Structure formats: structure tokens, C-alpha cells
């Protein structure tokens, strides 16, 4: 069973398909693992073990991921008949009526849904410490945060509870937990998968769905699985030439790569660990034959970005309260929210429709200014995933909202711009601090070029295999 837990999702699926294990064994091993380690980590907020085991017998024998266990992030990713909490006390007792399109695709592919993972309230911060469920702890050191907002999913995958878990990313919420927990975190291009049927888009198009995994091939295969425009969706992503799974091992060619170690905006302090992570990655890319230069889009340094980006998030979260109220059958009062969200929603309600459209227009221009760098001859941008090194539980606290917001902004400084532009971005686990905590490095490609990210990530993984020591340490 221990060996089964170290396999990625593709590996577990192959073991079932080849008859090495029964379709029930991966789920049974995952359940045992959750019961053994989640008491300390607090990643899984809803367990559906009995239902999951009952559902296995109905999975078709030709389903590509037959019997592979998975956990769902508890915001978005609705699973019919299961609780839906969004990290908040306001949804206590709410049960989802139907599967989202993406969850239905996972079921059809043969995945076994074991439960739902913790997220900060309404997914609005970069640490997973909701008042409703308590903090989720990092498998590499339980005193540390997992990041957010997909922190529960990240802890579960890093600790070996499941090979993959679902996630979403509106400002860094796939990439930041991937960095904090030593995982592969691919933020897809805007429109690559559907938020339906309940939503046409999330956070005004800033947020996208994806996965947290331990291997590049899992990230590719799972995005292939959920990708695709569904009837009535607002927009689609640029078409890919072939399935991303076929890009794993494909020659990326000689790429022109720009990199930076310090944020050009000037308000994110340089950190030696982050500089070392990116510098070593640049050297690795050069050794692999790529042209690597210290360069970046000038627009990344624009100071008005945060104000306009924040206006979109705040107003969308405020509007979301009406939806949540309808789901639970009575309006949500702002006083029911955690202090961070209370402040955000109150401020957002003072933003006029005209101001909202002005923020959208500003970000439209920002997207074009950023894209110009890629059209000038660059293929990839490499940055630290986060603007801060791994931080402990409580470092971002509602007890001091000003400091909390400032620290959150620094943490997401390198990730949030690419939610605004809609470009795909990827965090790879390429560095450890002196204390042994993971640090991610971010790779950003032009619009719609997940194929290029998968190629370069697989090339790096082949020569520098990723370490996942938290699984062994917690046996």
C-alpha cells in the first residue's frame, strides 16, 4: 500500500489497468492514509469514504483513471449531494445539488472522489486558515502554512493522501500552494475549462480551474481531461495542437527565456532564497541549451495594477454573497464574514459600475502591454513563484488587517499579474530553504501556450526529478 501511495495518478491508473491492483485498492490506501495523517494536517474538511467505495463498482472498465482517488477543493468543483462550504461558516449545512461540468468529467474518467479540501473563506487570501475549519498545516513542517487558497488540496497531495487534487487560481491560488508544498501547479489559460453550469466565469475571468500534482504528466493529463468549452460558456482558450499529455517528453526546441529575481514594482523586498532559486533555474535552462537573459515585461512594474486588480476581486466577491444567500435560503450579512472579507466587501460596495468598467479597461490595456514582451521574441518568463519565502501559520492574521493585506500582496506579487492577463503559468518545486521547506519557481508562457510549459517542465523534470520527501517522512 505504501508503494501505491507514491505513484502519481497516471501510475495508479496503469496499475489498475494492468491488474497489479484492484480498482478498490488505490482508494482504500488513500482512505487509510487520510485517517493516519490528516488529524495533524487538517486538509480534508468533508469525507465521503463510504459513498466513494460504493461508487467504484459502477466505474466502466475502460475509464482511463478507473479507481484513482481524488479530493476536490471546497469552492467551485461542486459535487452533487455533498456539502459545499467555501471555507465559510455562512454555508454551514448547504449541499450541492449537482456536479459541476468539470467534476462530471472527472467521474466519467473513473476518478473516485473521497471528499473535499479546506480553503480560506471565499478563497480570498494566500493562506488556508479559515475560522470555520481551522488552519491547514504544511506536511513539511506543521508549524508552517500550506499557502492558499488551494491549501487543503496541496497538503493532501504533498502528504500522499491522494496523487492529485483539484484547485483554482484567481491570484496565485494554484501556484502559491504548489510552491509552499513542493508540488507542480499549472494555472491554465483563461477559458481552458468551464466553470459551468453555475458560472459563466469566476472573478470576472481572473480565476481558472486546475490541479495540484506531483508530476508533470499528471498536470498535463488532468488538464486534457477537464479542458473544453461547454455550451453557453462565455469564451474559450486558444486551441492546442494536440493533447498536452503528448507534449510530455517532446523537444521544446531552443527557447529564449527572460528571468528576474526582484519584482520591478519596487515594493517587494529581495529575498536571498528566492534569488538563489531563480538564479539556479536560469543556469539549468542555459545548460539545457536555452538562451537565458535577465529581462522582463516593463508593464510588470506598473503601480496601478494592484488597485485595478483588487477592484475586480472585491466587487466579484461582494456579488457572490447574493449567490451564497440564495443557496442557503437567506441573505448573507457582511457581519457574518471574517474581518478580511468584511473589509473587502464593504469597500467593494462603494465601487460604482463606472469605476468597475474603468478597472476592466485598465486591465485590458495592461494585458496588451504585458503581451508585447512575448511578441518581441521571448518564449518564457521565469520568476520566483512567490514574493516571500515559506511563512508560518498566523503570519497573515486578521488581528492586523493592514499587515495581513500587505503581506498577502507581496506573496502574490509574481502570480496575480498573470491572472489579469489570462496567460498560463506554472510553478515547479526547484528549491529548498536552509530549513528544508519547498520554494517554487514560476514559468510563464504566452496566451494559450500550456503546451510549451508542459514541454519545458518535462525537460526539467527529466534531468532534475522533483523531491516529495513529505510522503516518506509521514509514513
Amino acid at each position: 500500500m505504501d508503494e501505491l501511495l507514491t505513484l502519481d495518478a497516471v501510475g495508479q491508473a496503469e496499475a489498475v489497468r494492468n491488474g497489479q491492483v484492484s480498482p478498490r485498492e488505490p482508494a482504500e490506501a488513500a482512505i487509510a492514509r487520510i485517517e493516519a495523517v490528516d488529524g495533524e494536517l487538517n486538509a480534508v474538511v468533508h469525507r465521503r469514504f463510504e459513498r466513494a467505495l460504493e461508487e467504484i463498482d459502477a466505474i466502466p472498465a475502460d475509464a482511463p483513471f478507473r479507481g484513482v482517488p481524488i479530493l476536490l477543493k471546497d469552492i467551485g468543483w461542486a459535487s452533487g449531494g455533498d456539502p459545499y462550504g467555501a471555507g465559510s461558516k455562512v454555508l454551514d449545512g448547504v449541499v450541492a445539488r449537482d456536479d459541476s461540468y468539470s467534476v462530471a468529467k472527472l467521474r466519467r474518467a473513473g476518478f473516485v472522489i473521497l471528499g473535499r479540501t479546506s480553503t480560506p473563506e471565499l478563497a480570498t487570501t494566500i493562506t488556508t486558515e479559515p475560522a470555520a475549519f481551522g488552519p491547514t498545516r504544511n506536511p513539511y513542517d506543521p508549524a508552517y502554512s500550506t499557502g492558499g487558497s488551494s491549501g487543503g488540496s496541496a497538503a493532501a497531495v504533498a502528504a500522499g493522501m491522494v496523487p492529485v487534487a483539484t484547485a483554482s487560481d484567481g491570484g496565485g491560488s494554484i501556484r502559491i500552494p504548489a510552491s509552499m508544498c513542493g508540488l507542480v501547479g499549472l494555472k491554465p489559460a483563461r477559458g481552458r475549462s468551464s466553470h459551468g453550469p453555475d458560472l459563466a466565469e469566476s472573478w470576472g475571468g481572473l480565476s481558472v480551474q486546475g490541479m495540484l500534482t506531483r508530476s508533470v504528466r499528471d498536470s498535463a493529463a488532468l488538464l486534457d481531461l477537464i479542458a473544453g468549452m461547454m455550451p453557453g460558456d462565455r469564451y474559450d482558450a486558444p486551441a492546442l495542437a494536440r493533447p498536452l499529455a503528448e507534449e510530455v517528453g517532446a523537444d521544446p526546441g531552443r527557447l529564449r527565456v527572460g528571468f528576474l529575481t526582484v519584482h520591478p514594482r519596487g515594493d517587494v523586498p529581495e529575498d536571498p532564497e528566492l534569488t538563489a532559486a531563480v538564479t539556479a533555474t536560469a543556469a539549468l535552462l542555459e545548460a539545457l541549451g536555452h538562451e537565458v537573459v535577465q529581462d522582463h515585461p516593463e508593464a510588470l512594474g506598473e503601480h496601478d495594477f494592484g488597485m485595478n486588480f483588487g477592484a475586480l476581486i472585491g466587487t466579484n466577491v461582494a456579488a457572490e454573497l447574493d449567490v451564497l444567500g440564495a443557496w442557503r435560503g437567506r441573505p448573507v450579512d457582511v457581519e457574518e464574514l471574517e474581518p478580511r472579507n468584511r473589509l473587502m466587501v464593504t469597500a467593494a460596495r462603494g465601487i460604482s459600475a463606472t469605476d468597475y468598467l474603468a478597472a476592466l479597461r485598465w486591465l485590458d490595456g495592461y494585458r496588451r502591454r504585458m503581451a508585447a514582451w512575448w511578441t518581441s521574441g521571448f518564449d518564457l518568463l521565469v520568476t520566483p513563484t512567490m514574493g516571500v519565502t515559506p511563512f508560518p501559520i498566523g503570519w497573515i492574521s486578521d488581528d492586523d488587517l493592514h499587515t495581513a493585506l500587505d503581506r498577502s500582496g507581496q506573496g502574490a506579487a509574481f502570480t496575480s499579474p498573470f491572472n489579469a492577463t489570462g496567460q498560463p503559468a506554472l510553478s515547479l518545486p526547484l528549491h529548498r530553504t536552509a530549513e528544508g521547506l519547498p520554494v517554487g519557481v514560476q514559468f510563464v508562457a504566452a496566451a494559450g501556450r500550456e503546451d510549451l510549459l508542459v514541454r519545458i517542465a518535462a525537460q526539467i523534470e527529466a534531468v532534475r526529478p522533483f523531491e516529495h520527501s513529505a510522503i516518506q517522512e509521514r509514513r
Side-chain angles (χ1 to χ4, degrees):
M1 288 292 190
D2 281 351
E3 287 187 11
L4 189 56
L5 293 171
T6 65
L7 296 177
D8 63 2
V10 171
Q12 289 193 12
E14 289 174 349
V16 172
R17 193 160 48 248
N18 296 336
Q20 296 169 271
V21 297
S22 73
R24 292 179 65 89
E25 286 181 76
E28 289 172 341
I31 289 168
R33 179 70 166 178
I34 294 169
E35 291 177 333
V37 304
D38 195 46
E40 180 182 24
L41 301 180
N42 191 34
V44 185
V45 295
H46 170 65
R47 301 180 181 189
R48 60 185 309 278
F49 298 162
E50 290 185 10
R51 285 185 63 193
L53 293 174
E54 290 171 357
E55 291 165 355
I56 292 173
D57 290 340
I59 298 173
D62 61 349
F65 287 93
R66 182 187 181 201
V68 178
I70 193 169
L71 290 162
L72 307 178
K73 181 179 180 180
D74 195 25
I75 192 167
W77 301 99
S79 49
D82 294 328
Y84 187 97
S88 181
K89 294 177 179 178
V90 304
L91 291 179
D92 186 33
V94 170
V95 173
R97 291 176 298 178
D98 302 297
D99 288 346
S100 70
Y101 288 147
S102 292
V103 169
K105 290 179 179 181
L106 292 174
R107 288 194 198 272
R108 287 196 296 271
F111 278 99
V112 180
I113 299 170
L114 298 184
R116 300 183 68 80
T117 62
S118 191
T119 182
E121 185 181 63
L122 307 183
T124 57
T125 187
I126 65 167
T127 187
T128 303
E129 304 175 45
F133 299 106
T136 298
R137 299 183 178 277
N138 196 312
Y140 286 90
D141 185 336
Y144 278 75
S145 171
T146 58
S149 63
S150 307
S153 288
V157 175
M161 299 182 204
V162 288
V164 294
T166 71
S168 55
D169 192 316
S173 291
I174 291 173
R175 292 158 289 162
I176 288 170
S179 178
M180 296 279 276
C181 294
L183 300 173
V184 178
L186 172 59
K187 180 195 84 70
R190 181 176 298 164
R192 184 64 69 196
S193 69
S194 176
H195 291 278
D198 290 330
L199 296 174
E201 63 181 8
S202 181
W203 283 9
L206 299 179
S207 185
V208 295
Q209 296 179 327
M211 303 284 167
L212 284 159
T213 77
R214 296 194 296 265
S215 69
V216 175
R217 69 178 185 174
D218 271 7
S219 289
L222 269 291
L223 185 50
D224 283 338
L225 185 64
I226 65 170
M229 187 178 187
M230 299 297 287
D233 281 353
R234 187 165 292 169
Y235 39 67
D236 195 5
L240 295 166
R242 58 182 178 175
L244 289 173
E246 296 180 18
E247 304 293 352
V248 177
D251 184 1
R254 187 171 190 263
L255 304 179
R256 189 163 189 244
V257 182
F259 77 95
L260 75 164
T261 59
V262 182
H263 202 288
R265 205 170 55 215
D267 57 353
V268 181
E270 181 176 8
D271 188 289
E273 293 279 13
L274 305 182
T275 297
V278 173
T279 301
T281 300
L284 175 59
L285 290 169
E286 200 163 42
L288 289 170
H290 303 294
E291 179 189 357
V292 182
V293 295
Q294 198 157 1
D295 203 339
H296 64 271
E298 288 186 15
L300 195 58
E302 295 183 14
H303 284 269
D304 287 345
F305 171 78
M307 175 183 67
N308 290 285
F309 185 79
L312 256 67
I313 292 180
T315 49
N316 276 275
V317 171
E320 189 178 334
L321 294 189
D322 294 335
V323 176
L324 301 182
W327 284 358
R328 75 174 191 176
R330 65 184 189 281
V332 176
D333 190 290
V334 70
E335 295 301 317
E336 297 179 73
L337 302 177
E338 294 178 25
R340 172 191 70 259
N341 286 324
R342 195 182 309 153
L343 177 66
M344 177 189 296
V345 169
T346 300
R349 286 176 173 170
I351 296 174
S352 69
T354 302
D355 291 338
Y356 179 81
L357 291 174
L360 278 177
R361 284 196 299 272
W362 189 93
L363 290 169
D364 285 341
Y366 180 78
R367 183 168 59 251
R368 296 185 190 281
R369 294 190 294 277
M370 289 283 278
W373 185 81
W374 273 266
T375 62
S376 71
F378 283 93
D379 299 297
L380 294 174
L381 175 68
V382 174
T383 77
T385 298
M386 299 180 65
V388 297
T389 48
F391 53 85
I393 297 288
W395 187 71
I396 293 175
S397 170
D398 281 353
D399 293 339
D400 182 349
L401 282 173
H402 177 78
T403 299
L405 293 173
D406 184 59
R407 288 175 172 177
S408 297
Q410 289 184 12
F414 290 101
T415 54
S416 57
F418 304 107
N419 295 88
T421 65
Q423 293 169 243
L426 168 75
S427 180
L428 294 180
L430 294 176
H431 186 73
R432 294 289 179 91
T433 67
E435 297 77 22
L437 295 168
V439 170
V441 175
Q442 178 177 237
F443 297 73
V444 187
R449 292 304 310 272
E450 290 100 324
D451 55 344
L452 188 56
L453 290 178
V454 168
R455 288 180 208 163
I456 193 67
Q459 185 183 48
I460 290 171
E461 186 181 32
V463 299
R464 174 89 181 278
F466 308 139
E467 298 178 13
H468 300 296
S469 56
I471 297 177
Q472 285 74 27
E473 291 169 3
R474 298 197 161 269
R475 286 187 175 181

